[in-house]
Amino acid sequence: MPKNRVSIDHNSGVYFITPTVWNWYYVFDRHHRWEILADSIRYCQEHKGLRLHAYVFMLNHAHLIIQADDVAGVIRDFKRHTAKKLLENIAKTEPNLLPLFKRDDRVLFWKEDNQPRLIETETFYRQKLEYVIQNPVRKRYVTLPEYWYWSSANPDSPLSVEHLW
């Protein structure tokens, strides 16, 4: 059960969320795993009304600023689908990693808490946007935000985004 949920009263709001790999394992940087995330986001954009306002994919988590008529449902479906596809990918390419995702009698890919933060002001949006854009720089993956391929800061971003303000 997630610790923090998207509020039912604001389910169509704009949210900053952070889906995080269980136990913060680094798994996205190989075997086309970022593509799995991107494909799922594209699907949600085309079929579930997801509006992506900003994103960055890191080694073990993602930061997204999103909006949809049913944000909670989109997050649920995105995480369910990507967990299945990513675990299949890991089973095929690095099966020795699978035990890292076992907890008690189940397998968990994502942490349950998405840390959703409702964005209600332009100031808060800009703060979160800056956080998303600067994340790869803070981690010293790149020297400039636009150099990180899996980011809305990159002019050649593989995902289309709609900026709010």
Side-chain angles (χ1 to χ4, degrees):
M1 180 80 73
K3 296 176 198 165
N4 295 315
R5 293 180 174 261
V6 170
S7 167
I8 192 109
D9 296 330
H10 302 287
N11 195 25
S12 62
V14 178
Y15 281 88
F16 169 78
I17 65 165
T18 304
T20 304
V21 174
W22 176 250
N23 281 334
W24 292 88
Y25 298 123
Y26 285 14
V27 296
F28 292 131
D29 60 334
R30 55 200 179 274
H31 304 292
H32 306 287
R33 295 183 186 139
W34 278 314
E35 286 88 346
I36 293 170
L37 298 178
D39 289 346
S40 185
I41 285 179
R42 278 188 213 96
Y43 179 88
C44 290
Q45 286 176 307
E46 293 169 15
H47 300 282
K48 297 188 175 287
L50 173 67
R51 290 179 296 287
L52 181 65
H53 299 296
Y55 80 96
V56 66
F57 297 162
M58 303 298 283
L59 298 178
N60 55 12
H61 66 285
H63 295 296
L64 309 169
I65 298 177
I66 62 170
Q67 184 177 20
D69 290 340
D70 179 14
V71 172
V74 169
I75 294 169
R76 178 198 62 230
D77 294 348
F78 169 79
K79 287 178 71 175
R80 184 179 296 148
H81 176 76
T82 55
K84 179 182 176 204
K85 291 295 185 185
L86 290 161
L87 288 168
E88 287 172 0
N89 176 286
I90 290 168
K92 183 188 280 186
T93 60
E94 297 179 288
N96 57 317
L97 294 184
L98 286 176
L100 298 175
F101 297 97
K102 291 192 175 163
R103 179 180 178 206
D104 302 324
D105 61 342
R106 41 187 199 150
V107 177
L108 295 175
F109 184 82
W110 295 109
K111 288 177 66 175
E112 294 174 338
D113 183 7
N114 301 304
Q115 303 173 27
R117 300 293 176 257
L118 180 63
I119 296 176
E120 296 183 282
T121 66
E122 183 178 353
T123 301
F124 190 57
Y125 169 74
R126 297 252 179 240
Q127 176 190 28
K128 292 305 178 188
L129 179 63
E130 186 68 15
Y131 184 85
V132 167
I133 289 170
Q134 291 297 326
N135 207 228
V137 176
R138 276 192 307 280
K139 293 288 187 179
R140 298 186 179 175
Y141 298 165
V142 291
T143 55
L144 293 172
E146 58 268 25
Y147 292 170
W148 189 248
Y149 183 73
W150 294 105
S151 169
S152 52
N154 183 322
D156 297 319
S157 167
L159 293 172
S160 59
V161 296
E162 307 171 24
H163 294 288
L164 278 176
W165 286 284

